[in-house]
């Protein structure tokens, strides 16, 4: 490359709000398992070059705000994160316990200007569900929703 010339690079910011639910929306994620499960999910995203900006949820579902790497397909990443976390739950957190995620998920692009608002929403999941201030479009990641 000539001196003074600069190589152009692609700039891709892929912030995505992900939601997925337990099979049959069973409340399987207890307070004792939540933190370790979230750490496992975060570690899996890191393996795919993704940065987890927020993670939160309820006993029957999870929300993750992630800055994805364009190097991997979203479907591949989600499939592996869900599969790994399901195995982690049933083999390590609660050995011999049945645990499974539903096969579908929601993936909603988040513009840079909305990242902090979505991050706060995810971190406040328990409060939002407790006081009825959930974003209903973001809570429908199950088979009955028909949109995934």
């Amino acid at each position: 490359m000539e001196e003074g010339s600069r190589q152009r690079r692609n700039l891709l910011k892929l912030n995505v709000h992900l939601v997925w639910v337990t099979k049959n929306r069973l409340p399987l994620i207890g307070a004792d398992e939540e933190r370790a499960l979230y750490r496992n999910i975060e570690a899996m995203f890191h393996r795919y070059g993704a940065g987890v900006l927020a993670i939160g949820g309820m006993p029957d579902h999870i929300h993750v705000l992630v800055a994805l790497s364009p190097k991997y397909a979203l479907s591949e990443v989600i499939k592996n994160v869900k599969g790994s976390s399901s195995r982690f739950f049933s083999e390590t957190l609660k050995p011999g316990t049945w645990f499974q995620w539903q096969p579908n998920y929601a993936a909603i692009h988040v513009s840079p200007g909305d990242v902090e608002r979505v991050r706060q929403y995810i971190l406040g999941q328990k409060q939002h569900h407790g006081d009825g201030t959930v974003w209903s479009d973001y809570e429908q990641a199950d088979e009955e929703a028909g949109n995934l």
Side-chain angles (χ1 to χ4, degrees), residues 3-116:
E3 189 176 329
S5 68
R6 293 178 43 187
Q7 182 179 4
R8 293 183 183 252
R9 297 183 185 178
N10 294 327
L11 174 62
L12 298 170
K13 291 188 177 192
L14 305 172
N15 301 314
V16 180
H17 179 176
L18 300 162
V19 183
W20 62 87
V21 303
T22 59
K23 186 73 172 177
N24 300 321
R25 277 208 180 251
L26 293 173
L28 302 173
I29 306 167
D32 293 341
E33 298 83 32
E34 186 178 76
R35 187 172 183 165
L37 180 63
Y38 290 178
R39 278 197 209 133
N40 174 266
I41 289 169
E42 187 171 359
M44 281 301 297
F45 275 113
H46 283 290
R47 287 184 189 172
Y48 287 93
V52 173
L53 306 174
I55 189 167
M58 297 297 291
D60 67 348
H61 71 279
I62 187 168
H63 292 254
V64 183
L65 178 59
V66 62
L68 292 171
S69 166
K71 188 174 178 180
Y72 302 98
L74 174 64
S75 59
E76 173 190 356
V77 174
I78 296 301
K79 175 184 170 189
N80 289 315
V81 168
K82 288 172 63 181
S84 174
S85 62
S86 181
R87 280 187 303 281
F88 174 74
F89 190 98
S90 60
E91 294 174 4
T92 303
L93 285 180
K94 293 185 100 175
T97 303
W98 175 87
F99 182 90
Q100 186 176 351
W101 300 110
Q102 288 194 172
N104 45 341
Y105 58 90
I108 302 120
H109 174 263
V110 178
S111 66
D114 288 330
V115 165
E116 185 56 27

